[in-house]
Amino acid sequence: MSARTLREEFEQLSRFVWVSWNNSGREQALLVARSFAADFPSVGTAEDFMRRAEAMRQEPWS
């Protein structure tokens, strides 16, 4: 099993924030993003996760 790169980890955690936003709203997503930032500070900040989640929300479904 290979270790994930920080970029891969960032994308995965951002996807969880995006799902939370879609299912429960922006405030809940922000709580998730803050939690991830506290637990994984080397991966990204809450703002980083929220920006990526917002970008994901704008991407068309493939």
Side-chain angles (χ1 to χ4, degrees), residues 4-5 7 10-11 15 20-22 24-25 30 32 36-37 40-42 44-46 49 53 55 62:
R4 289 187 194 186
T5 65
R7 182 68 189 166
F10 175 75
E11 286 296 317
R15 187 165 310 281
S20 178
W21 195 333
N22 285 337
S24 303
L30 185 54
V32 172
F36 286 160
F40 307 102
S42 63
T45 66
F49 292 124
S62 51

Side-chain angles (χ1 to χ4, degrees), residues 28-48:
Q28 182 63 36
L30 185 54
L31 291 175
V32 172
R34 287 178 178 158
S35 176
F36 286 160
D39 291 344
F40 307 102
S42 63
V43 176
T45 66
E47 293 79 17
D48 294 334

